[in-house]
Amino acid sequence: MSQIAINESVEIEPDAELPSATTVALVQLALACGGFGIGTGEFAIMGLLPNVAETFSVTTPQAGYVISAYALGVVIGAPVIAVLAAKMARRTLLLTLMLVFAAGNILSAVAPTFETFTLLRFVSGLPHGAYFGVAALVAASMVPVHRRARAVGRVMLGLTVATLLGTPATTLFGQSLDWQVAFLTVGVVGLLTVALIWFYVPKDRVSEEASFLRELGAFRRPQVWLTLGIAAVGYGGMFAMFSYIASTTTEVAMLPETAVPIMLVLFGVGMNAGNFIGSWLADKSLLGSIGGSLVYNIVVLTTFSLTAANPYMLGLSVFLVGCGFAAGPALQTRLMDVAADAQTLAAASNHSAFNIANALGAWLGGLVIAWGYGFAATGYVGAALSFLGLFVFAASLRLERRSASFEAL
């Protein structure tokens, strides 16, 4: 099965046949289900912070520490798990990651203290990056090379659909019934994913050459660092804007609070559209789609700042910024190309990079607001980050061309 060469540390059984379209679709559905659960669990807490604060008798800002704990789990868990699990079969690793994720969320729902709840959110975040990285590799290995990005995009569709449907629905149920219900629901989705992976993801075996040192080799490759840098810097702008969208809606566009969910839906629709279009474009031109998306982000984030006071333009800009998620499948696929035989670590670290982008964007956006430039100025912050990302992208292109010239000699 030649497509599996995308990661030489995994071998398919010798008598394995090429997967049928139905098999591929079922595998992608199983993997996307996990993405849906992870995305819902990550974002639902943002709408439930007041409820959590009331339960544990802490302030809402203090309750916000659980979001940071989850993000820290993602950043730490992705590279550590990828290295430690180098000798583990992909299917087994996916099952283990989902079991940990499900257990973390179910136990979060019954946490007796705020400290315990915070710790469990950290544990729930540990599988996040490794799951998406391994799932992307599995999905890409089952299709022809020219369709890899679309396969990755279908796995990430679970995450984008979560922002559109899973998070609002879970938040609504959590507010109407009890916030613990939200985490129980996410835990059940995790268990459902375990069942789907068990039944539909084919067994694989690990090659004898696989090792944690081999995976660590990914960080000896400059192109891996540059690609992660593009994600961490260039795409922080989306989070700079999105972190303060509620206040921008009510204080800049002067819309009622009831308009905030509409903006969130528009952002979710944009993410889904971007994921679909971006994965298609990445299969046509991988580097072109990454560079083009950075330029695109500069334009739409600047437009956001210039027109945020107009309710209709705000809605349009929020949708267009959400479309910037088009770079997600492209960057994930790029890491597969530049990581050589250490793809698990590189692919998993992509989500650590995006969480760094999240923290960086929110922090810089908050600084600009604190300096008195207003909520609309977060778009300018985002545009500046995308502009810096272009320099990292240019460095990556230059290094690649120099390497190609050297090899031609």
Side-chain angles (χ1 to χ4, degrees), residues 399-409:
L399 178 61
E400 185 162 288
R401 288 169 182 167
R402 287 180 60 186
S403 299
S405 299
F406 179 78
E407 291 174 1
L409 294 178

Side-chain angles (χ1 to χ4, degrees), residues 4 7-15 87-91 202-208 210:
I4 300 298
N7 190 325
E8 298 175 359
S9 66
V10 174
E11 297 177 353
I12 296 301
E13 298 294 339
D15 58 349
K87 296 289 289 183
M88 186 180 291
R90 289 271 161 73
R91 180 174 178 271
K203 293 182 179 181
D204 59 274
R205 68 181 185 186
V206 183
S207 75
E208 296 180 358

Side-chain angles (χ1 to χ4, degrees), residues 124-175:
S124 299
L126 290 174
H128 181 128
Y131 176 84
F132 276 114
V134 175
L137 290 170
V138 170
S141 72
M142 301 183 72
V143 299
V145 173
H146 66 279
R147 294 189 177 182
R148 289 179 305 158
R150 274 169 281 187
V152 172
R154 292 188 189 101
V155 172
M156 298 182 76
L157 187 64
L159 177 63
T160 57
V161 170
T163 64
L164 180 62
L165 301 176
T167 299
T170 307
T171 302
L172 177 63
F173 285 125
Q175 291 174 336

Side-chain angles (χ1 to χ4, degrees), residues 40 90 94 98 102 105 108 111 232 236 260-261 272 299 354:
T40 301
R90 289 271 161 73
L94 288 170
M98 265 297 112
N105 280 279
S108 292
V260 174
N272 280 274
V299 174
F354 270 107

Side-chain angles (χ1 to χ4, degrees), residues 207-268:
S207 75
E208 296 180 358
E209 292 79 15
S211 68
F212 72 92
L213 289 176
R214 185 176 179 177
E215 287 299 330
L216 283 173
F219 289 152
R220 293 198 301 267
R221 297 181 173 88
Q223 285 289 11
V224 170
W225 285 107
L226 288 170
T227 304
L228 293 174
I230 293 171
V233 177
Y235 295 96
M238 178 190 300
F239 301 104
M241 181 281 292
F242 187 63
S243 298
Y244 304 98
I245 188 58
S247 296
T248 305
T249 301
T250 57
E251 298 188 30
V252 179
M254 305 305 292
L255 292 170
E257 289 187 354
T258 53
V260 174
I262 297 175
M263 294 299 169
L264 297 179
V265 169
L266 286 172
F267 186 80

Side-chain angles (χ1 to χ4, degrees), residues 278-305:
S279 58
W280 181 83
L281 289 174
D283 277 332
K284 301 297 180 182
S285 175
L286 187 60
L287 293 175
S289 64
I290 295 173
S293 66
L294 288 167
V295 175
Y296 169 86
N297 283 343
I298 293 173
V299 174
V300 297
L301 285 164
T302 300
T303 302
F304 169 86
S305 289

Side-chain angles (χ1 to χ4, degrees), residues 61-88:
Q62 287 175 325
Y65 295 156
V66 302
I67 298 177
S68 300
Y70 183 94
L72 183 62
V74 178
V75 174
I76 293 176
V80 171
I81 292 173
V83 171
L84 295 180
K87 296 289 289 183
M88 186 180 291

